[in-house]
Amino acid sequence: MGAWGITNFENDTAIDWLNNLPLLVKNEVIDNYLDTILEEKEFIDDEESFISLAIAEFALHYMGLSKIEILKENLFKVNFTITQLDKIVKVINKILYFEEHSELRELWQDTEDYDIWEKHQLSIASLLQNYIKNNLKGGETPPKRPPNTFSVFD
């Protein structure tokens, strides 16, 4: 088995997605993965889950809310909207608590690290929810970060 760990870039699927991502990330690229999860009625595939959760950590990094080591050297340009940030929070919750079949959740439930993994995902959702609540109004893109923090919005 390849890479596997608690954080969302500690798996081969997310790393492959990142390595194939263009430097200018179009909203459609992000939305396609998020919408696939949100629209699913019966079965959430682990590949879409891996990538969607990686998008969540990607957002944290580019919003200046967390520093993700693997992203430090990458100079992606992406403009997350409030709608996308809200979708990310919903996607995290759906992957964790979907009444039907969530393949990734079930893979983690079979490990002794499920509780740690779940808490990590919930912490991402919480950081994004707080950011939305404290900084954004409907339809806006995130404001510029202070000059001493890195953000593609500067």
Side-chain angles (χ1 to χ4, degrees):
M1 185 172 192
W4 182 260
I6 300 298
T7 67
N8 295 316
F9 281 105
E10 291 183 299
N11 71 74
D12 291 333
T13 303
I15 293 168
D16 290 345
W17 171 79
L18 182 66
N19 288 335
N20 291 309
L21 199 61
L23 288 179
L24 178 59
V25 182
K26 295 182 179 182
N27 284 343
E28 298 83 43
V29 171
I30 302 296
D31 287 334
N32 286 339
Y33 286 102
L34 301 177
D35 291 342
T36 296
I37 300 284
L38 293 175
E39 294 168 3
E40 184 54 58
K41 304 257 188 272
E42 295 179 12
F43 176 84
I44 301 176
D45 182 71
D46 65 341
E47 184 168 323
E48 280 85 19
S49 296
F50 279 129
I51 294 169
S52 294
L53 293 175
I55 289 169
E57 286 204 46
F58 189 79
L60 281 185
H61 181 81
Y62 284 100
M63 301 304 296
L65 301 173
S66 180
K67 295 296 178 199
I68 309 301
E69 187 67 29
I70 195 169
L71 298 174
K72 279 178 36 177
E73 300 300 319
N74 293 304
L75 299 175
F76 294 106
K77 298 210 183 295
V78 59
N79 289 311
F80 287 99
T81 65
I82 189 169
T83 301
Q84 286 175 317
L85 297 177
D86 188 54
K87 281 183 186 182
I88 291 169
V89 171
K90 289 176 182 173
V91 162
I92 292 169
N93 285 309
K94 187 163 183 179
I95 290 169
L96 293 178
Y97 305 116
F98 188 45
E99 293 175 4
E100 301 299 326
H101 185 67
S102 173
E103 189 174 19
L104 182 58
R105 179 191 65 220
E106 291 171 8
L107 287 170
W108 274 103
Q109 286 174 328
D110 289 341
T111 73
E112 60 188 43
D113 293 326
Y114 174 75
D115 291 337
I116 298 167
W117 176 79
E118 180 187 37
K119 286 177 185 171
H120 180 72
Q121 307 313 321
L122 291 173
S123 72
I124 295 169
S126 178
L127 285 168
L128 291 172
Q129 283 176 316
N130 288 336
Y131 187 87
I132 292 167
K133 179 181 170 187
N134 294 326
N135 294 292
L136 302 177
K137 297 176 183 162
E140 292 182 10
T141 56
K144 294 195 180 288
R145 307 298 299 164
N148 61 343
T149 62
F150 172 77
S151 172
V152 296
F153 303 106
D154 292 336

